[in-house]
């Protein structure tokens, strides 16, 4: 997986807000460039899937304690932890997403991050 990272202001910038806000034209150009790259890589068979994540404030961390999912706001994994895997689920409700995240947490024996994706 190629993962892109940005500071807290990155989501504001792409939303056209904040001190470093892009103009609507710059935002459109950014997304057009990303779509062009994705189209190119899809044509060569090198792109399996690509998604942008929601802003970190919308993330939740799910831990399994005594068989019960415990949900907390934010991507607050310990700094010594690194992202080791990525799974895409498509579910009808947030409760089902938490249920499946808890199952993942049980399998990997650590908490997992649950975050909406856009794509």
């Amino acid at each position: 997986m190629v993962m892109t990272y940005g500071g807290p202001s990155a989501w504001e910038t792409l939303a056209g807000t904040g001190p470093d806000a892009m103009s609507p034209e710059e935002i459109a150009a950014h997304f057009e460039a990303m779509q062009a790259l994705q189209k190119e890589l899809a044509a060569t068979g090198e792109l399996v899937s690509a998604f942008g994540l929601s802003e970190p404030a919308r993330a939740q961390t799910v831990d399994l304690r005594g068989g019960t999912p415990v949900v907390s706001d934010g991507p607050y994994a310990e700094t010594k932890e690194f992202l080791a895997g990525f799974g895409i689920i498509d579910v009808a409700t947030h409760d089902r997403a938490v249920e499946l995240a808890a199952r993942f947490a049980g399998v990997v024996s650590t908490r997992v991050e649950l975050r909406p994706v856009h794509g």
Side-chain angles (χ1 to χ4, degrees), residues 36-98:
L37 176 60
Q38 291 174 357
K39 185 176 180 180
E40 174 191 335
L41 296 179
T44 65
E46 296 171 297
L47 180 67
V48 175
S49 184
F51 293 92
L53 294 174
S54 66
E55 66 276 9
R58 293 196 53 207
Q60 294 180 312
T61 300
V62 179
D63 201 354
L64 192 60
R65 295 185 192 152
T68 302
V70 177
V71 181
S72 58
D73 291 337
Y76 301 123
E78 298 295 326
T79 56
K80 64 183 177 182
E81 297 173 337
F82 298 95
L83 183 64
F86 183 81
I88 300 295
I89 58 175
D90 184 7
V91 296
T93 67
H94 180 260
D95 288 344
R96 178 66 174 156
V98 170

